[in-house]
Amino acid sequence: GAVVSQHPSWVICKSGTSVKIECRSLDFQATTMFWYRQFPKQSLMLMATSNEGSKATYEQGVEKDKFLINHASLTLSTLTVTSAHPEDSSFYICSAMLRDTNIHFGNGTRLTVT
Amino acid sequence: GQNIDQPTEMTATEGAIVQINCTYQTSGFNGLFWYQQHAGEAPTFLSYNVLDGLEEKGRFSSFLSRSKGYSYLLLKELQMKDSASYLCAAMDSNYQLIWGAGTKLIIKP
Protein backbone atom coordinates (compact mmCIF):
# COMPACT_ATOMS: atom_id res chain seq x y z
CA GLY A 1 0.00 0.00 0.00
CA ALA A 2 0.90 3.66 -0.19
CA VAL A 3 3.53 4.75 2.29
CA VAL A 4 4.53 8.17 3.49
CA SER A 5 7.92 8.45 5.12
CA GLN A 6 8.65 11.28 7.51
CA HIS A 7 12.15 12.04 8.76
CA PRO A 8 13.41 12.50 11.38
CA SER A 9 11.03 10.81 13.80
CA TRP A 10 12.34 12.92 16.64
CA VAL A 11 14.75 15.81 16.98
CA ILE A 12 16.10 17.93 19.79
CA CYS A 13 17.54 21.31 18.95
CA LYS A 14 18.70 24.43 20.72
CA SER A 15 16.67 27.59 20.76
CA GLY A 16 17.47 29.80 17.79
CA THR A 17 18.48 27.02 15.42
CA SER A 18 16.52 25.74 12.43
CA VAL A 19 15.17 22.26 11.89
CA LYS A 20 14.13 20.62 8.63
CA ILE A 21 11.55 17.84 8.47
CA GLU A 22 11.13 15.77 5.32
CA CYS A 23 8.00 14.10 4.05
CA ARG A 24 8.29 11.60 1.22
CA SER A 25 5.68 9.60 -0.63
CA LEU A 26 7.51 6.35 -1.35
CA ASP A 27 5.39 4.63 -3.96
CA PHE A 28 3.09 7.26 -5.39
CA GLN A 29 3.17 10.80 -6.70
CA ALA A 30 1.52 13.18 -4.28
CA THR A 31 0.33 16.36 -5.90
CA THR A 32 -0.69 17.71 -2.54
CA MET A 33 0.90 17.35 0.88
CA PHE A 34 -0.46 18.65 4.15
CA TRP A 35 1.46 19.66 7.24
CA TYR A 36 -0.16 19.37 10.66
CA ARG A 37 0.83 20.20 14.17
CA GLN A 38 -0.52 18.51 17.25
CA PHE A 39 -0.48 20.15 20.63
CA PRO A 40 -0.79 17.93 23.70
CA LYS A 41 -4.32 16.59 24.21
CA GLN A 42 -5.60 18.39 21.12
CA SER A 43 -6.50 17.28 17.62
CA LEU A 44 -4.31 17.84 14.62
CA MET A 45 -4.24 21.41 13.37
CA LEU A 46 -3.60 22.01 9.71
CA MET A 47 -0.68 24.35 9.25
CA ALA A 48 -0.40 24.51 5.49
CA THR A 49 -1.22 22.82 2.22
CA SER A 50 1.64 22.23 -0.14
CA ASN A 51 1.12 21.78 -3.85
CA GLU A 52 3.99 20.62 -6.00
CA GLY A 53 5.68 23.45 -7.83
CA SER A 54 3.76 26.26 -6.17
CA LYS A 55 3.82 28.20 -2.93
CA ALA A 56 2.24 26.62 0.10
CA THR A 57 -1.07 27.87 1.38
CA TYR A 58 -0.86 28.64 5.07
CA GLU A 59 -3.70 28.52 7.53
CA GLN A 60 -4.62 31.62 9.46
CA GLY A 61 -2.29 32.24 12.38
CA VAL A 62 0.61 30.21 10.99
CA GLU A 63 3.71 32.29 10.34
CA LYS A 64 4.92 31.52 6.83
CA ASP A 65 8.34 33.04 7.49
CA LYS A 66 8.82 30.80 10.49
CA PHE A 67 7.48 27.58 9.02
CA LEU A 68 9.01 27.32 5.56
CA ILE A 69 7.45 24.72 3.32
CA ASN A 70 8.94 23.53 0.08
CA HIS A 71 7.34 21.03 -2.26
CA ALA A 72 9.97 20.67 -4.94
CA SER A 73 8.87 17.37 -6.39
CA LEU A 74 5.89 15.05 -6.49
CA THR A 75 7.44 12.85 -3.83
CA LEU A 76 9.04 15.29 -1.41
CA SER A 77 7.89 18.15 0.77
CA THR A 78 9.93 19.76 3.54
CA LEU A 79 8.97 21.82 6.56
CA THR A 80 11.70 24.00 8.06
CA VAL A 81 11.11 25.47 11.48
CA THR A 82 13.33 28.54 11.50
CA SER A 83 14.79 30.10 14.65
CA ALA A 84 13.02 27.53 16.76
CA HIS A 85 11.87 28.40 20.27
CA PRO A 86 10.63 26.17 23.10
CA GLU A 87 7.02 27.01 22.25
CA ASP A 88 7.58 25.38 18.86
CA SER A 89 8.09 22.04 20.58
CA SER A 90 5.35 19.83 19.25
CA PHE A 91 4.44 16.83 17.15
CA TYR A 92 4.52 17.65 13.43
CA ILE A 93 2.81 15.32 10.96
CA CYS A 94 2.65 15.34 7.19
CA SER A 95 0.20 13.65 4.90
CA ALA A 96 0.15 13.11 1.18
CA MET A 97 -2.89 12.97 -1.04
CA LEU A 98 -3.34 10.72 -4.01
CA ARG A 99 -5.32 11.93 -6.97
CA ASP A 100 -8.40 9.99 -5.86
CA THR A 101 -8.32 11.90 -2.54
CA ASN A 102 -7.03 9.03 -0.42
CA ILE A 103 -4.79 10.56 2.20
CA HIS A 104 -1.88 8.85 3.88
CA PHE A 105 -0.03 10.07 6.94
CA GLY A 106 3.61 10.01 7.90
CA ASN A 107 4.62 8.74 11.33
CA GLY A 108 5.22 12.22 12.66
CA THR A 109 8.22 14.12 14.03
CA ARG A 110 8.51 15.02 17.67
CA LEU A 111 10.40 18.30 17.96
CA THR A 112 11.85 19.41 21.28
CA VAL A 113 13.46 22.83 21.47
CA THR A 114 15.66 23.41 24.50
CA GLY B 1 -18.28 28.45 9.57
CA GLN B 2 -16.86 24.99 9.32
CA ASN B 3 -17.30 22.69 12.26
CA ILE B 4 -16.97 19.07 13.31
CA ASP B 5 -18.62 17.69 16.44
CA GLN B 6 -17.94 14.36 18.08
CA PRO B 7 -18.15 13.19 21.69
CA THR B 8 -15.11 13.80 23.85
CA GLU B 9 -14.99 10.41 25.49
CA MET B 10 -16.78 7.07 25.40
CA THR B 11 -16.44 3.90 27.43
CA ALA B 12 -17.29 0.40 26.26
CA THR B 13 -16.75 -3.19 27.32
CA GLU B 14 -14.43 -5.68 25.64
CA GLY B 15 -16.38 -7.77 23.12
CA ALA B 16 -19.18 -5.25 22.80
CA ILE B 17 -20.14 -2.84 20.01
CA VAL B 18 -19.70 0.93 20.10
CA GLN B 19 -20.83 3.68 17.76
CA ILE B 20 -18.98 6.98 17.58
CA ASN B 21 -21.01 9.77 16.00
CA CYS B 22 -19.77 12.77 14.08
CA THR B 23 -21.65 15.74 12.66
CA TYR B 24 -20.07 18.17 10.26
CA GLN B 25 -20.60 21.50 8.56
CA THR B 26 -18.23 22.38 5.75
CA SER B 27 -17.98 24.62 2.71
CA GLY B 28 -18.50 21.98 0.09
CA PHE B 29 -17.84 18.34 0.75
CA ASN B 30 -15.29 15.91 -0.63
CA GLY B 31 -15.60 13.07 1.79
CA LEU B 32 -15.54 12.05 5.43
CA PHE B 33 -12.55 10.34 7.02
CA TRP B 34 -12.14 8.37 10.20
CA TYR B 35 -8.73 7.92 11.78
CA GLN B 36 -7.51 5.99 14.81
CA GLN B 37 -4.79 7.50 16.92
CA HIS B 38 -2.93 5.88 19.77
CA ALA B 39 -1.17 8.19 22.22
CA GLY B 40 2.11 9.52 20.86
CA GLU B 41 1.56 8.16 17.37
CA ALA B 42 0.37 9.58 14.06
CA PRO B 43 -3.23 8.89 13.07
CA THR B 44 -3.95 5.72 11.12
CA PHE B 45 -6.47 5.82 8.29
CA LEU B 46 -9.60 3.75 8.97
CA SER B 47 -12.19 4.73 6.40
CA TYR B 48 -13.30 7.17 3.77
CA ASN B 49 -16.93 7.80 2.79
CA VAL B 50 -18.02 10.09 0.00
CA LEU B 51 -21.36 8.46 -0.88
CA ASP B 52 -24.29 7.82 1.44
CA GLY B 53 -24.48 4.46 3.12
CA LEU B 54 -22.53 1.99 5.14
CA GLU B 55 -19.01 0.81 4.32
CA GLU B 56 -17.93 -2.32 6.15
CA LYS B 57 -14.30 -3.22 6.67
CA GLY B 58 -13.83 -6.13 9.04
CA ARG B 59 -14.72 -5.16 12.61
CA PHE B 60 -15.01 -1.50 11.64
CA SER B 61 -17.85 0.08 9.64
CA SER B 62 -18.46 3.68 8.70
CA PHE B 63 -21.73 5.32 7.73
CA LEU B 64 -22.42 8.59 5.97
CA SER B 65 -25.53 10.70 5.42
CA ARG B 66 -24.64 13.77 3.39
CA SER B 67 -28.10 15.31 3.71
CA LYS B 68 -27.82 15.19 7.51
CA GLY B 69 -24.13 16.08 7.71
CA TYR B 70 -23.70 12.98 9.82
CA SER B 71 -21.37 10.04 10.03
CA TYR B 72 -20.65 7.29 12.49
CA LEU B 73 -17.92 4.77 13.07
CA LEU B 74 -19.07 1.39 14.32
CA LEU B 75 -16.64 -0.88 16.09
CA LYS B 76 -17.66 -4.48 16.74
CA GLU B 77 -16.16 -7.20 18.92
CA LEU B 78 -14.16 -4.62 20.80
CA GLN B 79 -10.64 -5.50 21.84
CA MET B 80 -8.45 -3.84 24.43
CA LYS B 81 -6.15 -2.61 21.65
CA ASP B 82 -9.06 -0.57 20.27
CA SER B 83 -8.57 1.85 23.15
CA ALA B 84 -7.51 4.99 21.31
CA SER B 85 -8.73 8.32 20.07
CA TYR B 86 -10.92 8.29 16.98
CA LEU B 87 -10.76 11.34 14.79
CA CYS B 88 -13.48 12.41 12.38
CA ALA B 89 -12.43 14.72 9.55
CA ALA B 90 -14.42 16.20 6.67
CA MET B 91 -12.80 17.39 3.48
CA ASP B 92 -14.15 20.66 2.11
CA SER B 93 -14.31 21.88 -1.46
CA ASN B 94 -10.67 23.03 -1.32
CA TYR B 95 -9.51 19.60 -0.17
CA GLN B 96 -8.80 20.95 3.30
CA LEU B 97 -9.38 18.55 6.14
CA ILE B 98 -11.58 19.90 8.90
CA TRP B 99 -10.82 17.89 12.02
CA GLY B 100 -12.89 17.07 15.04
CA ALA B 101 -11.27 17.11 18.47
CA GLY B 102 -11.36 13.33 18.61
CA THR B 103 -13.25 10.83 20.73
CA LYS B 104 -11.26 9.02 23.36
CA LEU B 105 -12.51 5.45 23.52
CA ILE B 106 -11.86 3.55 26.73
CA ILE B 107 -12.31 -0.22 26.63
CA LYS B 108 -12.88 -2.01 29.92
CA PRO B 109 -12.43 -5.76 30.45
Side-chain angles (χ1 to χ4, degrees), chain B residues 48-60:
Chain B
Y48 170 66
N49 294 65
V50 68
L51 299 177
D52 290 346
L54 186 68
E55 298 259 352
E56 297 188 72
K57 198 182 292 185
R59 294 190 299 115
F60 293 5

PDB file of all heavy atoms in Angstrom, chain B residues 48-60:
ATOM      1  N   TYR B  48     -12.977   5.985   4.550  1.00  0.00           N
ATOM      2  CA  TYR B  48     -13.298   7.173   3.770  1.00  0.00           C
ATOM      3  C   TYR B  48     -14.657   6.962   3.131  1.00  0.00           C
ATOM      4  O   TYR B  48     -14.872   5.965   2.441  1.00  0.00           O
ATOM      5  CB  TYR B  48     -12.228   7.393   2.708  1.00  0.00           C
ATOM      6  CG  TYR B  48     -12.562   8.447   1.674  1.00  0.00           C
ATOM      7  CD1 TYR B  48     -12.676   9.779   2.044  1.00  0.00           C
ATOM      8  CD2 TYR B  48     -12.753   8.116   0.336  1.00  0.00           C
ATOM      9  CE1 TYR B  48     -12.969  10.745   1.106  1.00  0.00           C
ATOM     10  CE2 TYR B  48     -13.047   9.074  -0.604  1.00  0.00           C
ATOM     11  CZ  TYR B  48     -13.150  10.398  -0.209  1.00  0.00           C
ATOM     12  OH  TYR B  48     -13.444  11.361  -1.140  1.00  0.00           O
ATOM     13  N   ASN B  49     -15.596   7.863   3.392  1.00  0.00           N
ATOM     14  CA  ASN B  49     -16.927   7.796   2.787  1.00  0.00           C
ATOM     15  C   ASN B  49     -17.184   9.078   2.003  1.00  0.00           C
ATOM     16  O   ASN B  49     -16.977  10.173   2.535  1.00  0.00           O
ATOM     17  CB  ASN B  49     -18.024   7.674   3.862  1.00  0.00           C
ATOM     18  CG  ASN B  49     -17.964   6.379   4.638  1.00  0.00           C
ATOM     19  OD1 ASN B  49     -17.001   6.115   5.357  1.00  0.00           O
ATOM     20  ND2 ASN B  49     -18.992   5.559   4.502  1.00  0.00           N
ATOM     21  N   VAL B  50     -17.638   8.922   0.782  1.00  0.00           N
ATOM     22  CA  VAL B  50     -18.021  10.092   0.004  1.00  0.00           C
ATOM     23  C   VAL B  50     -19.463   9.946  -0.488  1.00  0.00           C
ATOM     24  O   VAL B  50     -20.107  10.943  -0.832  1.00  0.00           O
ATOM     25  CB  VAL B  50     -17.043  10.350  -1.157  1.00  0.00           C
ATOM     26  CG1 VAL B  50     -17.140   9.247  -2.198  1.00  0.00           C
ATOM     27  CG2 VAL B  50     -17.234  11.725  -1.761  1.00  0.00           C
ATOM     28  N   LEU B  51     -19.966   8.712  -0.501  1.00  0.00           N
ATOM     29  CA  LEU B  51     -21.356   8.463  -0.879  1.00  0.00           C
ATOM     30  C   LEU B  51     -22.137   8.011   0.353  1.00  0.00           C
ATOM     31  O   LEU B  51     -21.568   7.464   1.292  1.00  0.00           O
ATOM     32  CB  LEU B  51     -21.424   7.378  -1.958  1.00  0.00           C
ATOM     33  CG  LEU B  51     -20.717   7.703  -3.270  1.00  0.00           C
ATOM     34  CD1 LEU B  51     -20.796   6.509  -4.209  1.00  0.00           C
ATOM     35  CD2 LEU B  51     -21.316   8.938  -3.922  1.00  0.00           C
ATOM     36  N   ASP B  52     -23.438   8.229   0.322  1.00  0.00           N
ATOM     37  CA  ASP B  52     -24.287   7.821   1.441  1.00  0.00           C
ATOM     38  C   ASP B  52     -24.272   6.305   1.610  1.00  0.00           C
ATOM     39  O   ASP B  52     -24.209   5.565   0.638  1.00  0.00           O
ATOM     40  CB  ASP B  52     -25.731   8.282   1.210  1.00  0.00           C
ATOM     41  CG  ASP B  52     -25.885   9.779   1.307  1.00  0.00           C
ATOM     42  OD1 ASP B  52     -24.969  10.443   1.808  1.00  0.00           O
ATOM     43  OD2 ASP B  52     -26.936  10.291   0.879  1.00  0.00           O
ATOM     44  N   GLY B  53     -24.360   5.890   2.861  1.00  0.00           N
ATOM     45  CA  GLY B  53     -24.479   4.463   3.118  1.00  0.00           C
ATOM     46  C   GLY B  53     -23.419   3.966   4.056  1.00  0.00           C
ATOM     47  O   GLY B  53     -22.644   4.726   4.640  1.00  0.00           O
ATOM     48  N   LEU B  54     -23.412   2.664   4.203  1.00  0.00           N
ATOM     49  CA  LEU B  54     -22.527   1.987   5.143  1.00  0.00           C
ATOM     50  C   LEU B  54     -21.400   1.275   4.405  1.00  0.00           C
ATOM     51  O   LEU B  54     -21.639   0.541   3.453  1.00  0.00           O
ATOM     52  CB  LEU B  54     -23.336   0.964   5.954  1.00  0.00           C
ATOM     53  CG  LEU B  54     -22.626   0.242   7.097  1.00  0.00           C
ATOM     54  CD1 LEU B  54     -22.302   1.218   8.206  1.00  0.00           C
ATOM     55  CD2 LEU B  54     -23.487  -0.901   7.611  1.00  0.00           C
ATOM     56  N   GLU B  55     -20.178   1.502   4.874  1.00  0.00           N
ATOM     57  CA  GLU B  55     -19.015   0.812   4.323  1.00  0.00           C
ATOM     58  C   GLU B  55     -18.459  -0.095   5.424  1.00  0.00           C
ATOM     59  O   GLU B  55     -18.117   0.388   6.492  1.00  0.00           O
ATOM     60  CB  GLU B  55     -17.930   1.816   3.906  1.00  0.00           C
ATOM     61  CG  GLU B  55     -18.355   2.763   2.825  1.00  0.00           C
ATOM     62  CD  GLU B  55     -17.827   2.352   1.462  1.00  0.00           C
ATOM     63  OE1 GLU B  55     -17.013   1.422   1.393  1.00  0.00           O
ATOM     64  OE2 GLU B  55     -18.265   2.972   0.465  1.00  0.00           O
ATOM     65  N   GLU B  56     -18.401  -1.375   5.142  1.00  0.00           N
ATOM     66  CA  GLU B  56     -17.930  -2.319   6.154  1.00  0.00           C
ATOM     67  C   GLU B  56     -16.524  -2.783   5.821  1.00  0.00           C
ATOM     68  O   GLU B  56     -16.217  -3.128   4.678  1.00  0.00           O
ATOM     69  CB  GLU B  56     -18.890  -3.510   6.246  1.00  0.00           C
ATOM     70  CG  GLU B  56     -20.281  -3.107   6.705  1.00  0.00           C
ATOM     71  CD  GLU B  56     -21.180  -4.296   6.974  1.00  0.00           C
ATOM     72  OE1 GLU B  56     -20.966  -4.994   7.977  1.00  0.00           O
ATOM     73  OE2 GLU B  56     -22.113  -4.531   6.179  1.00  0.00           O
ATOM     74  N   LYS B  57     -15.696  -2.800   6.861  1.00  0.00           N
ATOM     75  CA  LYS B  57     -14.303  -3.225   6.670  1.00  0.00           C
ATOM     76  C   LYS B  57     -13.890  -4.008   7.903  1.00  0.00           C
ATOM     77  O   LYS B  57     -13.353  -3.473   8.858  1.00  0.00           O
ATOM     78  CB  LYS B  57     -13.412  -1.990   6.474  1.00  0.00           C
ATOM     79  CG  LYS B  57     -12.062  -2.289   5.850  1.00  0.00           C
ATOM     80  CD  LYS B  57     -11.212  -1.017   5.743  1.00  0.00           C
ATOM     81  CE  LYS B  57     -11.762  -0.035   4.741  1.00  0.00           C
ATOM     82  NZ  LYS B  57     -10.875   1.137   4.559  1.00  0.00           N
ATOM     83  N   GLY B  58     -14.175  -5.294   7.885  1.00  0.00           N
ATOM     84  CA  GLY B  58     -13.827  -6.126   9.039  1.00  0.00           C
ATOM     85  C   GLY B  58     -14.663  -5.747  10.260  1.00  0.00           C
ATOM     86  O   GLY B  58     -15.879  -5.637  10.182  1.00  0.00           O
ATOM     87  N   ARG B  59     -13.999  -5.497  11.365  1.00  0.00           N
ATOM     88  CA  ARG B  59     -14.724  -5.157  12.607  1.00  0.00           C
ATOM     89  C   ARG B  59     -15.205  -3.713  12.608  1.00  0.00           C
ATOM     90  O   ARG B  59     -16.008  -3.317  13.438  1.00  0.00           O
ATOM     91  CB  ARG B  59     -13.836  -5.390  13.826  1.00  0.00           C
ATOM     92  CG  ARG B  59     -13.478  -6.841  14.080  1.00  0.00           C
ATOM     93  CD  ARG B  59     -12.802  -7.023  15.437  1.00  0.00           C
ATOM     94  NE  ARG B  59     -11.541  -6.280  15.551  1.00  0.00           N
ATOM     95  CZ  ARG B  59     -11.346  -5.268  16.403  1.00  0.00           C
ATOM     96  NH1 ARG B  59     -12.330  -4.841  17.180  1.00  0.00           N
ATOM     97  NH2 ARG B  59     -10.175  -4.661  16.462  1.00  0.00           N
ATOM     98  N   PHE B  60     -14.663  -2.916  11.677  1.00  0.00           N
ATOM     99  CA  PHE B  60     -15.015  -1.501  11.639  1.00  0.00           C
ATOM    100  C   PHE B  60     -15.937  -1.208  10.458  1.00  0.00           C
ATOM    101  O   PHE B  60     -15.746  -1.714   9.356  1.00  0.00           O
ATOM    102  CB  PHE B  60     -13.756  -0.639  11.501  1.00  0.00           C
ATOM    103  CG  PHE B  60     -12.847  -0.667  12.707  1.00  0.00           C
ATOM    104  CD1 PHE B  60     -13.099  -1.495  13.777  1.00  0.00           C
ATOM    105  CD2 PHE B  60     -11.717   0.136  12.752  1.00  0.00           C
ATOM    106  CE1 PHE B  60     -12.263  -1.519  14.873  1.00  0.00           C
ATOM    107  CE2 PHE B  60     -10.869   0.124  13.857  1.00  0.00           C
ATOM    108  CZ  PHE B  60     -11.147  -0.710  14.922  1.00  0.00           C
TER     109      PHE B  60
END
